[in-house]
Amino acid sequence: MFELKNKDGSSYHFTLKANNGQVILSSEVYNSKAAAVNGIASVQKNASESVRYERKTAKDGKFFFNLKATNGQVIGSSQMYSSESGMENGINSVKENAPDSDTKEV
């Protein structure tokens, strides 16, 4: 489920949650609702393509990933994971949940 949030009346942000309610992907802040909705559509379109995931290691040794659009722009980022296998599970969860998820405005 995508949750679309109005942050301050003029900016929007979305998260993708797994069936257990855990946030598996977070967006940047958008300047309009329409831009955020387009971001959700881009996540849905790109989530199933393995080449769109950029796997990263933070300075503290934790793992995370970015989902990128075809133009290379980051459209979503994961939480931090303590292991590479946890990160891979997160990627698989995005692949499974994003394409057909509904959007709820909260």
Side-chain angles (χ1 to χ4, degrees):
M1 169 76 60
F2 286 97
E3 288 189 352
L4 178 61
K5 300 173 186 171
N6 183 315
K7 293 185 65 89
D8 59 12
S10 63
S11 60
Y12 290 81
H13 167 81
F14 66 81
T15 57
L16 173 62
K17 291 188 173 183
N19 292 335
N20 65 4
Q22 182 178 359
V23 174
I24 53 176
L25 196 73
S26 298
S27 76
E28 65 179 352
V29 175
Y30 293 91
N31 291 329
S32 70
K33 182 178 179 180
V37 169
N38 285 340
I40 291 170
S42 185
V43 169
Q44 290 174 314
K45 176 183 172 188
N46 290 286
S48 61
E49 296 185 43
S50 295
V51 297
R52 300 281 178 247
Y53 292 89
E54 175 185 47
R55 292 155 174 87
K56 309 270 288 180
T57 305
K59 289 180 183 176
D60 65 2
K62 293 195 177 191
F63 302 92
F64 69 101
F65 62 87
N66 293 319
L67 176 61
K68 292 186 168 187
T70 53
N71 65 3
Q73 182 179 355
V74 174
I75 50 178
S77 298
S78 74
Q79 64 180 9
M80 293 293 183
Y81 295 94
S82 58
S83 68
E84 281 188 84
S85 63
M87 176 184 64
E88 293 300 329
N89 288 340
I91 289 170
N92 289 334
S93 186
V94 172
K95 286 180 176 181
E96 180 181 315
N97 287 283
D100 299 317
S101 283
D102 292 328
T103 300
K104 176 175 73 170
E105 205 165 333
V106 293

